[in-house]
């Protein structure tokens, strides 16, 4: 049972927009800690996609965007492409556990 | 260029000990946290713990406290993850990762550990 809750799977057609949610609590996201998002393609290490809730590292397309509100955060992907098919994880800090925590991951099917 | 290069895959028997490494370069090793993440095949990512090499301050996730040891050698800018007695449930891919403001922006390539009798 992950501290941060994500839907196990989402799907969308090419060109569509999808949103992946990440629900936490008052000891992590709700406590004001930043949320970060990662993309993990099969057989590869995770790649940082969004940091500090809504910022994109250099090289990440602006089709990817993040937001945070209250005890939840969201990753939006617009203009879906076949190569976006991947696993996506949210991550934050939990003050109760005193450690960084990941969501359970969401498999995106395009 | 920041690089994290991990040691190779291992096949071990239950009860054996193991120490895997993560050789870093391209940034100030001493003054940046570095941590380890576990991924059981087909499952999600789990933070195991992090270390601040400058003073060897280690923070373990409660799930891994007492199960593994995280260490670092400043002289060779290398982080380590070790087990004293492996179990079959330790079979997984282990990644080292360097967080910046809490977000791992650089990752090692992963080390597959297989524990089987």
């Amino acid at each position: 049972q992950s501290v941060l809750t994500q839907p196990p799977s989402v799907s969308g057609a090419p060109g569509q927009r999808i949103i992946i949610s990440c629900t936490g609590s008052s000891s992590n996201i709700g406590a004001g800690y930043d949320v970060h998002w990662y993309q993990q393609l099969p057989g590869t290490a995770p790649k940082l996609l969004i940091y500090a809730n809504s910022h994109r590292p250099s090289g990440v397309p602006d089709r990817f965007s993040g937001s945070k509100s209250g005890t939840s955060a969201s990753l939006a992907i617009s203009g879906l492409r076949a190569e976006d098919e991947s696993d996506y994880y949210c991550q934050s800090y939990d003050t109760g556990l005193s450690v960084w925590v990941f969501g359970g991951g969401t498999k995106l099917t395009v | 260029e920041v690089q994290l290069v991990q040691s190779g895959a291992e096949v071990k028997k239950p009860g054996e000990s193991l120490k895997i490494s993560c050789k870093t370069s391209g940034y100030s090793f001493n003054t940046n946290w570095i941590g380890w993440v576990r991924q059981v095949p087909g499952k999600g990512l789990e933070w195991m713990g992090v270390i601040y090499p400058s003073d060897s301050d280690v923070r373990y996730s409660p799930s891994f406290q007492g199960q593994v040891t995280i260490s670092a050698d400043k002289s060779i800018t290398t982080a380590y993850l070790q087990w004293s007695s492996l179990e079959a449930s330790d079979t997984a891919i282990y990644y080292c990762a360097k967080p910046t403001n809490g977000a791992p922006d650089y990752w090692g390539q992963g080390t597959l550990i297989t524990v089987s009798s």
Side-chain angles (χ1 to χ4, degrees), chain A residues 29 32-37 50-55 65-68 73-74:
Chain A
I29 299 175
Y33 292 102
D34 286 336
V35 178
H36 319 291
W37 291 90
I50 297 287
Y51 68 95
N53 308 313
S54 59
H55 299 270
S65 62
S67 64
K68 171 188 159 183
S74 296

Side-chain angles (χ1 to χ4, degrees), chain A residues 9-15 18 20 38-44 49 63-64 75 77-89 106-110:
Chain A
S9 63
V10 298
S11 63
I18 63 94
I20 298 173
Y38 304 86
Q39 178 190 56
Q40 187 179 32
L41 297 169
T44 69
L49 203 60
R63 300 187 298 107
F64 296 89
L75 172 70
I77 309 174
S78 59
L80 273 179
R81 299 182 178 183
E83 59 261 35
D84 297 332
E85 195 162 280
S86 181
D87 293 325
Y88 293 85
Y89 295 89
T106 298
K107 182 175 182 60
L108 169 62
T109 301
V110 180

Side-chain angles (χ1 to χ4, degrees), chain A residues 22-26 28-33 35 53 67-73:
Chain A
C22 175
T23 303
S25 68
S26 57
N28 40 68
I29 299 175
Y33 292 102
V35 178
N53 308 313
S67 64
K68 171 188 159 183
S69 178
T71 59
S72 296

Side-chain angles (χ1 to χ4, degrees), chain B:
Chain B
E1 179 192 7
V2 175
Q3 289 191 316
L4 281 64
V5 179
Q6 298 183 226
S7 50
E10 303 267 6
V11 179
K12 306 293 281 188
K13 292 185 178 347
E16 292 186 330
S17 63
L18 177 65
K19 189 174 188 178
I20 62 174
S21 65
C22 173
K23 169 65 178 171
T24 75
S25 60
Y27 73 98
S28 177
F29 180 75
N30 287 4
T31 56
N32 282 272
W33 292 90
I34 185 165
W36 292 92
V37 175
R38 182 176 81 171
Q39 187 168 39
V40 173
K43 302 297 184 181
L45 305 171
E46 302 171 89
W47 264 113
M48 301 178 71
V50 290
I51 184 168
Y52 193 73
S54 177
D55 59 6
S56 293
D57 182 8
V58 183
R59 314 284 177 86
Y60 293 99
S61 170
S63 300
F64 295 95
Q65 179 82 46
Q67 308 303 309
V68 297
T69 301
I70 293 172
S71 60
D73 186 332
K74 293 182 288 186
S75 68
I76 54 172
T77 64
T78 298
Y80 300 97
L81 177 65
Q82 68 180 86
W83 296 259
S84 59
S85 180
L86 287 161
E87 302 176 0
S89 58
D90 293 318
T91 294
I93 298 173
Y94 294 86
Y95 295 100
C96 60
K98 170 193 163 297
T100 299
N101 295 322
D105 47 358
Y106 291 94
W107 295 71
Q109 81 276 21
T111 297
L112 174 63
I113 306 301
T114 304
V115 183
S116 174
S117 55

